[in-house]
């Protein structure tokens, strides 16, 4: 198990290095750190001097190593627009995005598990057919359409739910960093539509995945044997079959959570949600290269960390890996 | 006198889109306390289907379409599922063919033993564990305490089948149905597992239904045999009688095909020519007639009845009755 964890972490570090290399290459090509620092009203001579001082004339590899070194120490450059370290800007925006992703992730788990299991056990009922039909349809509807439809129905027509912003937030740690919408009724109300929109992208996938994995497991000899032992249907379905179903699903979930971060760019824009995704689009408009690169590196890290953690959890649940890597 | 188990005119069908397919037709046999019965026949004869029908666990779309299965005089063939669970895995245990696939890979052996007891008895976990250890000792698993916390992939095939036998012993069943319990194992281990099964059935006075395609195996373990062909029993009787004097040409063919005695180099085993028909094209008359060496005109038109020949032997053959 220990060797397995080490191996996974080494892989994660490698992936991070690749991401940082891509990020750095982009920055090196189109970024302008001098502008980030002193703006555009500087004479060409002064610029050249600053470039020399910043080491921008050094070989690519030297600069890359310096970039990684700085990144490891939490320095991802300065944001041209905010006049602050890019990482600070992202850290400020991160909680809003995290809350939307967590909310959507929870929605996916709470909805796809029961529906996936039910439709695998009773595939012929009207309800199962309805769910499967709906999830086929769901895959093909683009997320901004879902979001706009939700806003129109629940926000504009029915006035049930707010459709932009985060609403009332509270300071979780008392230092102003994590302003959370999880702890107020208003904040939760504001989370509903964005989370549903974001979840709607992955939900059909998960219902189908859980259903097909479960159906496959139900056909195995060990499930038939569990019946032959006289176990109750609930124990066979929810303990024996469920645990075997969950193993492959966990891995996919890890990957998809990471992908959801990318989709927040769309949902945050539609819902004017002041998170990293919203910030990213603004940064594109303002050509705030350092901030863009910092976003890439941070989201990349989150993706890699989530995947690594999920893989390690998988290793703990799956005895085959646990023993083999001992 | 009533039997422990009495299967009467069992008929099993598979509901296919093209119509119902009869897989088991008029199968009858009995089993008494401590008795060992061998169900023999080539692959596809309907042995497994018969075994699963007894515990009412046919895979979809199979169903029992006729006949009775009397267990202690009570018909269990149409019992509802929650009542059936008091018998399945408790009074009648089943051992599957492939021990590599039978145990759940993500639960320990201990969990899978204890849950079985808990499903059938009001029992504490500690007590269940005690019983599990006792049964593991009965099947000669070394250091059983350690084994309880291990997973199935940590065991060899032979060890797994021992563990599965131990699981089937947990509830002290009246009957064990073993479906090709050694087919998936190494030859050297096959004999060990068979000896173990025979020994346990004798010491615990359990009835055994041993399903196998291997006549040599049944002849060493069981006291009576029913030979199946294309969903029917075509010959049955005491093991010794049948092995020494097979009456039905199919049984005789199976025995000739055994690698008994000394084979000279280059000499071939006597295989029965041809193959067992699939359920969709069973020939008219005796299902065995296309492969039969002694057939007559009647064999191609009329189904032979399974008749008592007066010497405690049942045979379904026009030429032998
Ligand atoms: N799930 C199923 N669907 C359709 N036919 C089946 C199914 N299971 C078994 N059969 C049919 O029943 C016949 C007997 O199968 P089985 O009892 O498994 O044979 P064996 O004697 O080798 O154990 C086979 O010919 C097979 O075609
Ligand atoms: Mg079989």
């Amino acid at each position: 198990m220990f060797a397995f964890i080490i191996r996974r972490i080494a892989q994660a570090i490698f992936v991070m290095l690749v991401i940082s290399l891509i990020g750095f290459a982009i920055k090196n090509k189109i970024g302008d750190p001098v502008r980030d620092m002193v703006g555009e009203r500087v004479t060409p001579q002064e610029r050249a001097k600053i470039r020399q001082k910043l080491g921008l004339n050094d070989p690519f590899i030297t600069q890359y190593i310096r970039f990684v070194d700085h990144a490891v120490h939490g320095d991802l450059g300065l944001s041209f627009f905010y006049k602050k370290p890019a990482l600070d800007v992202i850290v400020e925006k991160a909680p809003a995005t995290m809350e939307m992703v967590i909310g959507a992730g929870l929605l996916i788990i709470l909805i796809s598990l029961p529906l996936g299991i039910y439709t695998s056990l009773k595939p012929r009922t009207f309800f199962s057919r309805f769910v499967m039909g709906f999830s086929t349809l769901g895959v093909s509807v683009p997320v901004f359409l879902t979001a706009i439809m939700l806003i129109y129905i629940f926000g504009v027509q029915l006035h049930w739910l707010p459709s932009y912003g985060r609403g009332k937030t509270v300071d979780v740690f008392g230092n102003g960093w994590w302003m959370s919408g999880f702890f107020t009724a208003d904040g939760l109300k504001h989370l509903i539509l964005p989370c549903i929109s974001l979840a709607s992208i992955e939900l059909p996938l998960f219902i189908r995945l859980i259903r097909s994995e479960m159906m496959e497991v139900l056909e195995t000899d060990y499930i038939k044997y569990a019946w032959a032992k006289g176990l109750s249907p609930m124990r066979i379905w929810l303990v024996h079959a469920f645990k075997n179903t969950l193993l492959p699903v966990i891995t996919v979930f890890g990957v998809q959570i990471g992908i959801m971060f990318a989709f927040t760019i769309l949902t945050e824009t539609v819902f004017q949600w002041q998170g990293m995704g919203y910030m990213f689009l603004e940064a594109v408009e303002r050509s705030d290269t350092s901030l863009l690169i910092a976003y890439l590196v941070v989201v990349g890290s989150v993706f890699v960390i989530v995947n690594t953690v999920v893989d390690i959890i998988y290793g703990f649940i799956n005895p085959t890996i646990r023993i083999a890597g001992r | 006198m009533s039997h422990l188990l009495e299967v009467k005119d069992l008929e099993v069908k598979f509901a296919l889109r093209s119509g119902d397919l009869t897989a088991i037709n008029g199968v009858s046999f009995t089993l008494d306390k401590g008795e060992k019965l061998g169900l023999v026949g080539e692959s596809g004869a309907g042995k497994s289907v018969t075994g699963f029908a007894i515990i009412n666990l046919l895979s979809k779309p199979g169903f029992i379409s006729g006949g009775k299965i009397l267990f202690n005089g009570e018909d269990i063939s149409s019992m509802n599922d929650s009542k059936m669970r008091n018998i399945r895995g408790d009074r009648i245990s089943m051992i599957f063919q492939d021990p590599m696939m039978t145990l759940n890979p993500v639960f320990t052996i201990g969990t899978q033993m204890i849950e079985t007891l808990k499903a059938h008895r009001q029992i504490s976990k500690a007590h269940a564990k005690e019983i599990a250890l006792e049964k593991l000792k009965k099947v000669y698993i070394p250091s059983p305490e350690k084994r309880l916390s291990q997973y199935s992939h940590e065991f060899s095939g032979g060890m797994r089948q021992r563990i599965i036998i131990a699981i089937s012993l947990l509830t002290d069943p009246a009957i064990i149905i073993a479906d090709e319990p050694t087919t998936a194992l190494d030859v050297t281990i096959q004999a060990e597992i068979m000896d173990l099964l025979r020994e346990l059935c004798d010491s615990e006075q359990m009835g055994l239904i041993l399903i196998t395609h291997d006549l040599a195996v049944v002849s060493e373990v069981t006291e009576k045999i029913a030979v199946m062909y294309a969903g029917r029993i075509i010959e049955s009787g005491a093991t010794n009688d049948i092995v020494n004097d097979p009456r039905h040409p199919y049984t005789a063919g199976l025995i000739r095909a055994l690698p008994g005695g000394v084979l000279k180099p280059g000499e071939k085993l006597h295989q029965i020519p041809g193959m067992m028909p699939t359920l969709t094209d069973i020939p008219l008359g005796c299902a065995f007639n296309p492969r039969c060496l002694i057939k007559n005109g009647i064999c191609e038109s009329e189904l032979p009845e399974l008749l008592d020949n007066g010497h405690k032997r049942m045979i379904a053959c026009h030429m032998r009755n």
Side-chain angles (χ1 to χ4, degrees), chain A residues 238-268:
Chain A
L238 300 185
V239 178
H240 277 257
F242 182 65
K243 193 168 176 191
N244 284 282
T245 301
L246 213 52
L247 287 175
V249 173
I250 286 177
T251 321
V252 178
F253 190 72
V255 175
Q256 295 301 327
I257 283 280
I259 290 176
M260 259 173 21
F261 270 93
F263 276 112
T264 58
I265 296 177
L266 288 173
T267 47
E268 288 187 4

Side-chain angles (χ1 to χ4, degrees), chain A residues 12 36 76 116 140 176 181 219 247 259 277 286 290:
Chain A
D36 293 354
L76 287 169
S140 47
E219 291 298 313
L247 287 175
I259 290 176
R286 296 168 184 150
S290 289

Side-chain angles (χ1 to χ4, degrees), chain B residues 198-244:
Chain B
R198 182 179 47 193
E199 181 193 313
L200 288 167
C201 287
D202 288 343
S203 64
E204 318 281 313
Q205 277 296 289
M206 291 181 298
L208 175 70
I209 299 178
L210 178 60
I211 295 173
T212 172
H213 64 279
D214 189 346
L215 247 177
V217 165
V218 266
S219 66
E220 277 165 28
V221 177
T222 67
E223 20 322 315
K224 60 184 198 180
I225 291 181
V227 183
M228 289 188 75
Y229 191 83
R232 294 173 189 273
I233 292 179
I234 49 101
E235 179 162 14
S236 68
T239 305
N240 270 336
D241 296 354
I242 290 190
V243 172
N244 294 325

Side-chain angles (χ1 to χ4, degrees), chain B residues 42-49 52 97 179-180 211-212:
Chain B
E42 287 165 298
S43 163
K47 309 178 299 287
S48 298
V49 170
F52 281 111
Q97 174 165 350
D179 187 358
E180 312 252 11
I211 295 173
T212 172

Side-chain angles (χ1 to χ4, degrees), chain A residues 193-214:
Chain A
L193 293 184
C195 288
I196 292 178
S197 306
L198 187 55
S200 74
I201 307 166
E202 312 276 347
L203 196 56
L205 171 87
F206 276 97
I207 294 174
R208 296 182 154 266
L209 177 71
I210 291 167
R211 176 185 124 106
S212 67
E213 289 292 339
M214 181 95 171

Side-chain angles (χ1 to χ4, degrees), chain B residues 21-280:
Chain B
L21 203 60
T22 308
I24 301 294
N25 213 328
V27 161
S28 302
F29 56 84
T30 64
L31 190 74
D32 291 321
K33 189 164 188 259
E35 197 175 31
K36 299 188 284 300
L37 161 73
L39 271 187
V40 196
E42 287 165 298
S43 163
K47 309 178 299 287
S48 298
V49 170
T50 305
F52 281 111
I54 293 171
I55 56 170
N56 214 328
L57 202 62
L58 290 164
S59 345
K60 290 244 162 71
F63 65 101
I64 297 176
S65 51
K68 283 194 175 104
I69 297 167
L70 303 174
F71 177 66
N72 286 326
E74 189 182 8
D75 188 3
I76 58 172
S77 68
S78 50
M79 226 178 218
N80 72 38
D81 201 67
S82 73
K83 266 181 95 182
M84 191 61 205
R85 281 207 307 277
N86 296 329
I87 293 172
R88 189 193 291 148
D90 183 343
R91 304 290 74 230
I92 307 179
S93 296
M94 188 138 180
I95 296 169
F96 286 20
Q97 174 165 350
D98 189 350
M100 306 310 262
M101 315 292 275
T102 307
L103 294 167
N104 195 320
V106 301
F107 294 105
T108 61
I109 301 307
T111 304
Q112 295 186 60
M113 296 188 87
I114 290 164
E115 69 175 358
T116 311
L117 275 163
K118 289 217 151 198
H120 297 292
R121 308 266 185 278
Q122 295 288 342
I123 193 175
S124 72
K125 199 172 166 187
H127 189 195
K129 207 166 154 180
E130 240 169 72
I131 298 176
L133 284 175
E134 174 203 328
K135 303 300 181 189
L136 285 176
K137 279 179 201 146
K138 274 220 163 90
V139 299
Y140 308 109
I141 297 280
S143 49
E145 294 85 0
K146 210 177 90 196
R147 305 301 180 184
L148 284 181
S149 58
Q150 292 186 319
Y151 293 88
S152 65
H153 65 265
E154 298 174 65
F155 297 91
S156 67
M159 285 284 261
R160 287 189 211 192
Q161 202 61 303
R162 280 172 195 274
I163 289 165
I164 291 162
I165 293 172
I167 291 177
S168 65
L169 296 176
L170 285 169
T171 53
D172 302 311
I175 300 174
I176 290 185
I177 302 173
D179 187 358
E180 312 252 11
T182 58
T183 307
L185 301 176
D186 286 351
V187 186
T188 47
I189 299 179
Q190 289 187 3
E192 281 175 35
I193 297 285
M194 277 303 164
D195 287 346
L196 177 67
L197 261 181
R198 182 179 47 193
E199 181 193 313
L200 288 167
C201 287
D202 288 343
S203 64
E204 318 281 313
Q205 277 296 289
M206 291 181 298
L208 175 70
I209 299 178
L210 178 60
I211 295 173
T212 172
H213 64 279
D214 189 346
L215 247 177
V217 165
V218 266
S219 66
E220 277 165 28
V221 177
T222 67
E223 20 322 315
K224 60 184 198 180
I225 291 181
V227 183
M228 289 188 75
Y229 191 83
R232 294 173 189 273
I233 292 179
I234 49 101
E235 179 162 14
S236 68
T239 305
N240 270 336
D241 296 354
I242 290 190
V243 172
N244 294 325
D245 179 26
R247 302 297 298 158
H248 195 287
Y250 177 62
T251 318
L254 284 180
I255 288 170
R256 262 200 311 277
L258 287 178
V262 189
L263 279 178
K264 294 183 195 81
E267 189 185 357
K268 280 217 186 103
L269 292 174
H270 298 272
Q271 295 292 353
I272 310 172
M275 297 236 294
M276 175 141 54
T278 55
L279 295 180
T280 41

